[in-house]
Amino acid sequence: MTLTDRRNSGRHAPAELVSTVAELARARAGFGGPPGRNAVVMTMGALHEGHATLIRTARERVGADGFVVVTVFVNPLQFGAGEDLDRYPRTLDADLELAFAAGASVVFAPSVDEVYPGGQPQVRITAGPMGDRLEGASRPGHFDGVLTVVAKLLHLTGPDLAFFGQKDAQQLAVIRRMARDLNFPVEIVGVPTVREDDGLALSSRNRYLSAAERHTALALSRALFAARDRLAAQEALHARAVALPGAQGRAGNRAEGLSRLGEARAAADAHAVAQAAEGGGAEAVRAAARGVLDEAAKAEPPLVLDYLALIDPADFTEVEDGHRGEAILALAARVGTTRLIDNIPLTFGAIQGAAS
């Protein structure tokens, strides 16, 4: 089925593999397609269900007659010294099968020389202060490499929409900032993290884990879920505390009110509840996650924490205990030789009446 046949049939055609910029340009020109219906999903290959979700989401957004490009390129600019560039899995045949099944129109899988003719580029995009925090602090220059290749691929693929996973929350944030600051005419779309049945966030690096290492690695998602549950319970208690007689008075009145309810756990935690009713509680959420990670550090093999941070998604700075609104709890850790990241979005003050 040709690209013209596909437009006439109202359904997307099997994915076409292209490997050069010229071939990609011809594929885009030959498609024609309705305006505003071009999408790109950028990957480094080793595709899994998380990538399939991105591609399916892109296909749903642009419709059966839209054009979805999936890029497969292991970008050397974002790997630092001692990182796993050579070890990173290359599975192009399986990638094509998954991309086709999920709804790709074209898979663009260029060589390094095709993307960076003449060697690594002298002019690059820098991520600024946001790119120096968390992942950027652990991997200096990483986000400069990410933004440089993303900018190139946006120019080459010319999309109206670009889809990225929320698992790489900081990457998504710096790409959105680049698109906004440099006036890229593209909508950056974040897609929720896809998890395996046991809670582990899908990642191409999961295949490196032994059975024992995988068991330890489950602490990442358990820590995030513990923090999420702590926040939900905390805010429900806060809402009750605010509603009690004397709730607008001193913290002691709220603690006494909770004690009168006969809730032993709430009474024991009355100080935290009273404090959070004034707009706090971030530290309690961090502590819930930290407790799970501390236990995992004693496991065999152990989890070695790189960072645990509760940050403002606007600039990736740590939120204070009085924070209200959106936040991201993010963490990174090593299990054996494999480094994993994960995060979860949280909202402080989401329950009506939780804020004072």
Short mmCIF file of all heavy atoms in Angstrom, two decimals, residues 78-138:
data_model
loop_
_atom_site.label_atom_id
_atom_site.label_comp_id
_atom_site.label_asym_id
_atom_site.label_seq_id
_atom_site.Cartn_x
_atom_site.Cartn_y
_atom_site.Cartn_z
N GLN A 78 24.21 12.41 24.57
CA GLN A 78 23.61 12.41 25.90
C GLN A 78 24.19 11.33 26.82
O GLN A 78 23.71 11.15 27.93
CB GLN A 78 22.10 12.25 25.81
CG GLN A 78 21.60 10.94 25.24
CD GLN A 78 20.13 11.01 24.84
OE1 GLN A 78 19.77 11.66 23.87
NE2 GLN A 78 19.29 10.37 25.63
N PHE A 79 25.24 10.65 26.38
CA PHE A 79 25.92 9.66 27.21
C PHE A 79 27.23 10.25 27.71
O PHE A 79 28.03 10.77 26.93
CB PHE A 79 26.22 8.39 26.42
CG PHE A 79 25.00 7.54 26.14
CD1 PHE A 79 24.15 7.86 25.10
CD2 PHE A 79 24.69 6.44 26.93
CE1 PHE A 79 23.03 7.10 24.84
CE2 PHE A 79 23.58 5.68 26.68
CZ PHE A 79 22.73 6.00 25.63
N GLY A 80 27.45 10.17 29.01
CA GLY A 80 28.68 10.66 29.60
C GLY A 80 29.74 9.57 29.66
O GLY A 80 29.51 8.41 29.29
N ALA A 81 30.91 9.94 30.17
CA ALA A 81 32.00 8.98 30.32
C ALA A 81 31.58 7.85 31.26
O ALA A 81 31.02 8.10 32.32
CB ALA A 81 33.24 9.68 30.87
N GLY A 82 31.82 6.61 30.85
CA GLY A 82 31.49 5.47 31.69
C GLY A 82 30.04 5.03 31.62
O GLY A 82 29.66 4.07 32.29
N GLU A 83 29.21 5.72 30.82
CA GLU A 83 27.82 5.32 30.69
C GLU A 83 27.69 4.27 29.59
O GLU A 83 28.67 3.94 28.90
CB GLU A 83 26.94 6.54 30.43
CG GLU A 83 26.88 7.47 31.62
CD GLU A 83 25.85 8.58 31.47
OE1 GLU A 83 25.50 8.91 30.33
OE2 GLU A 83 25.40 9.12 32.49
N ASP A 84 26.47 3.76 29.41
CA ASP A 84 26.29 2.52 28.65
C ASP A 84 25.96 2.73 27.18
O ASP A 84 25.09 2.06 26.62
CB ASP A 84 25.22 1.66 29.31
CG ASP A 84 23.89 2.40 29.46
OD1 ASP A 84 23.83 3.59 29.11
OD2 ASP A 84 22.92 1.76 29.93
N LEU A 85 26.67 3.63 26.49
CA LEU A 85 26.42 3.85 25.06
C LEU A 85 26.63 2.57 24.26
O LEU A 85 25.76 2.16 23.48
CB LEU A 85 27.32 4.96 24.53
CG LEU A 85 27.28 5.20 23.01
CD1 LEU A 85 25.88 5.57 22.55
CD2 LEU A 85 28.29 6.26 22.61
N ASP A 86 27.78 1.92 24.43
CA ASP A 86 28.06 0.71 23.66
C ASP A 86 27.19 -0.46 24.11
O ASP A 86 26.89 -1.35 23.31
CB ASP A 86 29.54 0.32 23.80
CG ASP A 86 30.47 1.35 23.16
OD1 ASP A 86 30.02 2.04 22.21
OD2 ASP A 86 31.61 1.49 23.61
N ARG A 87 26.78 -0.43 25.36
CA ARG A 87 25.98 -1.52 25.91
C ARG A 87 24.48 -1.35 25.62
O ARG A 87 23.71 -2.28 25.75
CB ARG A 87 26.22 -1.55 27.43
CG ARG A 87 25.58 -2.70 28.19
CD ARG A 87 25.88 -2.54 29.68
NE ARG A 87 25.14 -3.51 30.48
CZ ARG A 87 24.72 -3.28 31.70
NH1 ARG A 87 24.92 -2.10 32.26
NH2 ARG A 87 24.09 -4.20 32.37
N TYR A 88 24.09 -0.14 25.21
CA TYR A 88 22.67 0.14 25.03
C TYR A 88 22.11 -0.80 23.96
O TYR A 88 22.69 -0.95 22.88
CB TYR A 88 22.46 1.59 24.62
CG TYR A 88 21.04 2.06 24.87
CD1 TYR A 88 20.68 2.58 26.10
CD2 TYR A 88 20.07 1.95 23.88
CE1 TYR A 88 19.38 2.99 26.35
CE2 TYR A 88 18.77 2.37 24.11
CZ TYR A 88 18.42 2.88 25.35
OH TYR A 88 17.14 3.26 25.60
N PRO A 89 20.97 -1.45 24.22
CA PRO A 89 20.47 -2.48 23.31
C PRO A 89 20.02 -1.91 21.97
O PRO A 89 19.40 -0.85 21.90
CB PRO A 89 19.28 -3.09 24.08
CG PRO A 89 18.87 -2.04 25.05
CD PRO A 89 20.13 -1.31 25.44
N ARG A 90 20.36 -2.63 20.91
CA ARG A 90 19.91 -2.29 19.55
C ARG A 90 19.06 -3.46 19.04
O ARG A 90 19.57 -4.57 18.87
CB ARG A 90 21.08 -2.08 18.60
CG ARG A 90 21.66 -0.66 18.59
CD ARG A 90 22.61 -0.40 19.73
NE ARG A 90 23.40 0.82 19.53
CZ ARG A 90 24.20 1.33 20.45
NH1 ARG A 90 24.33 0.75 21.64
NH2 ARG A 90 24.88 2.43 20.20
N THR A 91 17.78 -3.21 18.80
CA THR A 91 16.85 -4.28 18.43
C THR A 91 15.94 -3.78 17.30
O THR A 91 14.71 -3.80 17.44
CB THR A 91 16.01 -4.72 19.64
OG1 THR A 91 15.29 -3.57 20.15
CG2 THR A 91 16.87 -5.27 20.76
N LEU A 92 16.53 -3.36 16.19
CA LEU A 92 15.77 -2.66 15.16
C LEU A 92 14.64 -3.51 14.57
O LEU A 92 13.53 -3.00 14.34
CB LEU A 92 16.69 -2.17 14.06
CG LEU A 92 16.03 -1.33 12.96
CD1 LEU A 92 15.33 -0.11 13.55
CD2 LEU A 92 17.04 -0.91 11.90
N ASP A 93 14.88 -4.78 14.31
CA ASP A 93 13.83 -5.61 13.71
C ASP A 93 12.60 -5.67 14.61
O ASP A 93 11.46 -5.50 14.15
CB ASP A 93 14.35 -7.03 13.45
CG ASP A 93 15.34 -7.08 12.29
OD1 ASP A 93 15.37 -6.10 11.50
OD2 ASP A 93 16.07 -8.07 12.18
N ALA A 94 12.82 -5.89 15.90
CA ALA A 94 11.70 -5.92 16.85
C ALA A 94 11.07 -4.54 16.99
O ALA A 94 9.85 -4.42 17.14
CB ALA A 94 12.18 -6.43 18.21
N ASP A 95 11.90 -3.50 16.90
CA ASP A 95 11.38 -2.13 17.00
C ASP A 95 10.42 -1.83 15.85
O ASP A 95 9.36 -1.22 16.05
CB ASP A 95 12.53 -1.12 16.99
CG ASP A 95 13.42 -1.22 18.22
OD1 ASP A 95 13.00 -1.86 19.20
OD2 ASP A 95 14.53 -0.67 18.18
N LEU A 96 10.79 -2.26 14.64
CA LEU A 96 9.92 -2.02 13.48
C LEU A 96 8.58 -2.73 13.65
O LEU A 96 7.53 -2.16 13.35
CB LEU A 96 10.62 -2.51 12.21
CG LEU A 96 11.83 -1.69 11.73
CD1 LEU A 96 12.52 -2.40 10.58
CD2 LEU A 96 11.39 -0.30 11.31
N GLU A 97 8.63 -3.96 14.14
CA GLU A 97 7.39 -4.71 14.33
C GLU A 97 6.48 -4.02 15.33
O GLU A 97 5.26 -3.87 15.11
CB GLU A 97 7.72 -6.13 14.80
CG GLU A 97 6.51 -7.03 14.94
CD GLU A 97 6.89 -8.46 15.31
OE1 GLU A 97 8.09 -8.78 15.27
OE2 GLU A 97 5.97 -9.23 15.63
N LEU A 98 7.05 -3.56 16.45
CA LEU A 98 6.24 -2.88 17.46
C LEU A 98 5.71 -1.56 16.92
O LEU A 98 4.53 -1.23 17.12
CB LEU A 98 7.07 -2.67 18.73
CG LEU A 98 6.35 -2.01 19.92
CD1 LEU A 98 6.89 -2.55 21.24
CD2 LEU A 98 6.47 -0.49 19.89
N ALA A 99 6.55 -0.79 16.25
CA ALA A 99 6.13 0.51 15.74
C ALA A 99 5.00 0.35 14.73
O ALA A 99 4.02 1.12 14.74
CB ALA A 99 7.32 1.23 15.10
N PHE A 100 5.12 -0.63 13.85
CA PHE A 100 4.08 -0.89 12.86
C PHE A 100 2.76 -1.26 13.54
O PHE A 100 1.70 -0.72 13.22
CB PHE A 100 4.55 -2.01 11.93
CG PHE A 100 3.44 -2.70 11.18
CD1 PHE A 100 2.45 -1.98 10.53
CD2 PHE A 100 3.43 -4.08 11.09
CE1 PHE A 100 1.44 -2.62 9.83
CE2 PHE A 100 2.42 -4.73 10.39
CZ PHE A 100 1.42 -4.00 9.76
N ALA A 101 2.83 -2.15 14.51
CA ALA A 101 1.62 -2.60 15.19
C ALA A 101 0.96 -1.45 15.95
O ALA A 101 -0.28 -1.41 16.08
CB ALA A 101 1.94 -3.74 16.14
N ALA A 102 1.76 -0.51 16.46
CA ALA A 102 1.20 0.58 17.26
C ALA A 102 0.67 1.74 16.42
O ALA A 102 -0.04 2.59 16.95
CB ALA A 102 2.26 1.10 18.24
N GLY A 103 1.03 1.78 15.13
CA GLY A 103 0.45 2.82 14.28
C GLY A 103 1.40 3.79 13.64
O GLY A 103 0.98 4.85 13.17
N ALA A 104 2.71 3.47 13.61
CA ALA A 104 3.66 4.38 12.96
C ALA A 104 3.46 4.40 11.46
O ALA A 104 3.09 3.40 10.85
CB ALA A 104 5.09 3.94 13.28
N SER A 105 3.71 5.55 10.86
CA SER A 105 3.71 5.68 9.40
C SER A 105 5.11 5.44 8.85
O SER A 105 5.28 4.77 7.84
CB SER A 105 3.25 7.08 8.99
OG SER A 105 2.01 7.41 9.57
N VAL A 106 6.10 6.02 9.51
CA VAL A 106 7.49 5.91 9.09
C VAL A 106 8.36 5.73 10.32
O VAL A 106 8.12 6.36 11.36
CB VAL A 106 7.94 7.18 8.32
CG1 VAL A 106 9.45 7.19 8.10
CG2 VAL A 106 7.23 7.28 6.99
N VAL A 107 9.36 4.86 10.22
CA VAL A 107 10.39 4.75 11.25
C VAL A 107 11.68 5.31 10.66
O VAL A 107 12.15 4.85 9.62
CB VAL A 107 10.60 3.29 11.70
CG1 VAL A 107 11.80 3.20 12.64
CG2 VAL A 107 9.35 2.76 12.39
N PHE A 108 12.21 6.34 11.31
CA PHE A 108 13.44 6.99 10.88
C PHE A 108 14.56 6.49 11.78
O PHE A 108 14.61 6.83 12.96
CB PHE A 108 13.29 8.50 10.97
CG PHE A 108 14.51 9.29 10.59
CD1 PHE A 108 15.26 8.97 9.46
CD2 PHE A 108 14.91 10.38 11.36
CE1 PHE A 108 16.38 9.71 9.11
CE2 PHE A 108 16.02 11.13 11.02
CZ PHE A 108 16.77 10.80 9.89
N ALA A 109 15.45 5.66 11.23
CA ALA A 109 16.53 5.05 12.00
C ALA A 109 17.87 5.40 11.36
O ALA A 109 18.46 4.59 10.63
CB ALA A 109 16.35 3.53 12.08
N PRO A 110 18.36 6.60 11.58
CA PRO A 110 19.59 7.05 10.92
C PRO A 110 20.84 6.58 11.65
O PRO A 110 20.80 6.19 12.82
CB PRO A 110 19.47 8.58 11.01
CG PRO A 110 18.75 8.79 12.31
CD PRO A 110 17.77 7.64 12.43
N SER A 111 21.96 6.63 10.95
CA SER A 111 23.26 6.39 11.58
C SER A 111 23.72 7.65 12.29
O SER A 111 23.17 8.75 12.09
CB SER A 111 24.28 6.01 10.50
OG SER A 111 24.52 7.12 9.64
N VAL A 112 24.77 7.52 13.10
CA VAL A 112 25.34 8.69 13.77
C VAL A 112 25.88 9.69 12.74
O VAL A 112 25.69 10.91 12.87
CB VAL A 112 26.45 8.26 14.75
CG1 VAL A 112 27.17 9.49 15.32
CG2 VAL A 112 25.88 7.43 15.88
N ASP A 113 26.51 9.17 11.69
CA ASP A 113 27.05 10.06 10.66
C ASP A 113 25.95 10.81 9.93
O ASP A 113 26.16 11.94 9.47
CB ASP A 113 27.87 9.26 9.65
CG ASP A 113 29.19 8.76 10.23
OD1 ASP A 113 29.64 9.34 11.24
OD2 ASP A 113 29.75 7.80 9.68
N GLU A 114 24.77 10.20 9.82
CA GLU A 114 23.66 10.87 9.14
C GLU A 114 23.12 12.03 9.97
O GLU A 114 22.78 13.09 9.44
CB GLU A 114 22.54 9.86 8.87
CG GLU A 114 21.38 10.39 8.06
CD GLU A 114 21.74 10.66 6.60
OE1 GLU A 114 22.74 10.10 6.10
OE2 GLU A 114 21.01 11.44 5.96
N VAL A 115 23.06 11.84 11.28
CA VAL A 115 22.53 12.88 12.16
C VAL A 115 23.58 13.96 12.42
O VAL A 115 23.27 15.15 12.49
CB VAL A 115 22.03 12.27 13.48
CG1 VAL A 115 21.56 13.36 14.45
CG2 VAL A 115 20.89 11.30 13.21
N TYR A 116 24.84 13.53 12.57
CA TYR A 116 25.93 14.48 12.86
C TYR A 116 27.00 14.37 11.78
O TYR A 116 28.11 13.89 12.03
CB TYR A 116 26.53 14.19 14.24
CG TYR A 116 25.54 14.26 15.37
CD1 TYR A 116 25.33 13.16 16.20
CD2 TYR A 116 24.82 15.42 15.64
CE1 TYR A 116 24.42 13.22 17.26
CE2 TYR A 116 23.92 15.50 16.68
CZ TYR A 116 23.73 14.39 17.48
OH TYR A 116 22.83 14.46 18.52
N PRO A 117 26.70 14.81 10.55
CA PRO A 117 27.70 14.74 9.48
C PRO A 117 28.90 15.61 9.83
O PRO A 117 28.77 16.74 10.27
CB PRO A 117 26.96 15.29 8.25
CG PRO A 117 25.83 16.09 8.81
CD PRO A 117 25.45 15.44 10.10
N GLY A 118 30.07 15.04 9.64
CA GLY A 118 31.29 15.80 9.96
C GLY A 118 31.67 15.72 11.42
O GLY A 118 32.57 16.44 11.87
N GLY A 119 31.01 14.88 12.20
CA GLY A 119 31.35 14.72 13.61
C GLY A 119 30.37 15.44 14.52
O GLY A 119 29.38 16.03 14.07
N GLN A 120 30.65 15.38 15.81
CA GLN A 120 29.73 15.98 16.78
C GLN A 120 29.62 17.48 16.55
O GLN A 120 30.61 18.16 16.21
CB GLN A 120 30.21 15.69 18.20
CG GLN A 120 30.15 14.21 18.55
CD GLN A 120 30.36 13.97 20.03
OE1 GLN A 120 30.55 14.88 20.82
NE2 GLN A 120 30.30 12.70 20.43
N PRO A 121 28.43 18.05 16.71
CA PRO A 121 28.21 19.45 16.38
C PRO A 121 28.96 20.40 17.32
O PRO A 121 29.03 20.16 18.53
CB PRO A 121 26.70 19.61 16.55
CG PRO A 121 26.30 18.54 17.51
CD PRO A 121 27.20 17.39 17.23
N GLN A 122 29.50 21.47 16.75
CA GLN A 122 30.17 22.47 17.57
C GLN A 122 29.17 23.38 18.27
O GLN A 122 29.42 23.88 19.36
CB GLN A 122 31.11 23.31 16.70
CG GLN A 122 32.26 22.52 16.10
CD GLN A 122 33.23 23.39 15.35
OE1 GLN A 122 33.52 24.52 15.76
NE2 GLN A 122 33.76 22.88 14.25
N VAL A 123 28.02 23.60 17.64
CA VAL A 123 26.97 24.43 18.21
C VAL A 123 25.89 23.52 18.80
O VAL A 123 25.36 22.66 18.10
CB VAL A 123 26.36 25.36 17.15
CG1 VAL A 123 25.20 26.16 17.75
CG2 VAL A 123 27.42 26.29 16.58
N ARG A 124 25.58 23.72 20.08
CA ARG A 124 24.61 22.87 20.75
C ARG A 124 23.64 23.75 21.56
O ARG A 124 23.92 24.91 21.84
CB ARG A 124 25.30 21.88 21.69
CG ARG A 124 26.38 21.06 21.01
CD ARG A 124 26.94 19.99 21.90
NE ARG A 124 28.08 19.32 21.29
CZ ARG A 124 28.63 18.20 21.76
NH1 ARG A 124 28.12 17.63 22.85
NH2 ARG A 124 29.67 17.66 21.15
N ILE A 125 22.52 23.15 21.93
CA ILE A 125 21.56 23.83 22.79
C ILE A 125 21.85 23.45 24.23
O ILE A 125 22.06 22.27 24.54
CB ILE A 125 20.12 23.43 22.40
CG1 ILE A 125 19.80 23.96 21.01
CG2 ILE A 125 19.12 23.97 23.43
CD1 ILE A 125 18.44 23.59 20.50
N THR A 126 21.89 24.44 25.12
CA THR A 126 22.12 24.16 26.53
C THR A 126 20.80 24.23 27.29
O THR A 126 19.91 25.01 26.96
CB THR A 126 23.11 25.17 27.13
OG1 THR A 126 22.58 26.49 27.04
CG2 THR A 126 24.44 25.11 26.40
N ALA A 127 20.72 23.42 28.31
CA ALA A 127 19.47 23.30 29.07
C ALA A 127 19.34 24.36 30.16
O ALA A 127 18.27 24.46 30.78
CB ALA A 127 19.37 21.91 29.68
N GLY A 128 20.38 25.11 30.44
CA GLY A 128 20.29 26.14 31.46
C GLY A 128 20.24 25.58 32.86
O GLY A 128 20.53 24.39 33.09
N PRO A 129 19.85 26.38 33.85
CA PRO A 129 19.86 25.94 35.25
C PRO A 129 19.03 24.69 35.50
O PRO A 129 19.40 23.84 36.31
CB PRO A 129 19.29 27.15 36.01
CG PRO A 129 19.58 28.31 35.13
CD PRO A 129 19.47 27.81 33.73
N MET A 130 17.88 24.55 34.83
CA MET A 130 17.04 23.38 35.05
C MET A 130 17.78 22.09 34.67
O MET A 130 17.58 21.04 35.26
CB MET A 130 15.75 23.50 34.25
CG MET A 130 14.71 22.44 34.62
SD MET A 130 13.26 22.43 33.52
CE MET A 130 12.71 24.12 33.67
N GLY A 131 18.66 22.19 33.69
CA GLY A 131 19.40 21.02 33.24
C GLY A 131 20.58 20.66 34.10
O GLY A 131 21.21 19.61 33.89
N ASP A 132 20.90 21.49 35.10
CA ASP A 132 22.02 21.20 36.00
C ASP A 132 21.57 20.50 37.27
O ASP A 132 22.41 20.11 38.09
CB ASP A 132 22.74 22.50 36.37
CG ASP A 132 23.45 23.14 35.19
OD1 ASP A 132 23.81 22.39 34.25
OD2 ASP A 132 23.61 24.37 35.18
N ARG A 133 20.25 20.34 37.46
CA ARG A 133 19.73 19.75 38.69
C ARG A 133 19.44 18.26 38.50
O ARG A 133 19.28 17.78 37.40
CB ARG A 133 18.46 20.48 39.12
CG ARG A 133 18.69 21.97 39.38
CD ARG A 133 17.42 22.76 39.62
NE ARG A 133 17.75 24.17 39.76
CZ ARG A 133 17.14 25.16 39.12
NH1 ARG A 133 16.12 24.89 38.30
NH2 ARG A 133 17.51 26.42 39.29
N LEU A 134 19.38 17.54 39.60
CA LEU A 134 18.99 16.13 39.63
C LEU A 134 19.72 15.31 38.57
O LEU A 134 20.90 15.05 38.70
CB LEU A 134 17.47 16.01 39.50
CG LEU A 134 16.65 16.71 40.59
CD1 LEU A 134 15.17 16.42 40.40
CD2 LEU A 134 17.10 16.33 41.98
N GLU A 135 19.03 14.91 37.48
CA GLU A 135 19.69 14.11 36.46
C GLU A 135 20.88 14.86 35.87
O GLU A 135 21.91 14.25 35.56
CB GLU A 135 18.70 13.76 35.34
CG GLU A 135 17.72 12.67 35.68
CD GLU A 135 18.41 11.36 35.98
OE1 GLU A 135 19.00 10.76 35.05
OE2 GLU A 135 18.39 10.95 37.15
N GLY A 136 20.73 16.16 35.71
CA GLY A 136 21.83 16.95 35.16
C GLY A 136 23.04 16.99 36.08
O GLY A 136 24.18 17.01 35.61
N ALA A 137 22.81 17.00 37.39
CA ALA A 137 23.91 16.98 38.35
C ALA A 137 24.61 15.63 38.33
O ALA A 137 25.83 15.54 38.48
CB ALA A 137 23.41 17.31 39.75
N SER A 138 23.82 14.56 38.18
CA SER A 138 24.38 13.21 38.14
C SER A 138 25.05 12.91 36.80
O SER A 138 25.98 12.11 36.73
CB SER A 138 23.28 12.17 38.39
OG SER A 138 22.71 12.33 39.67
#
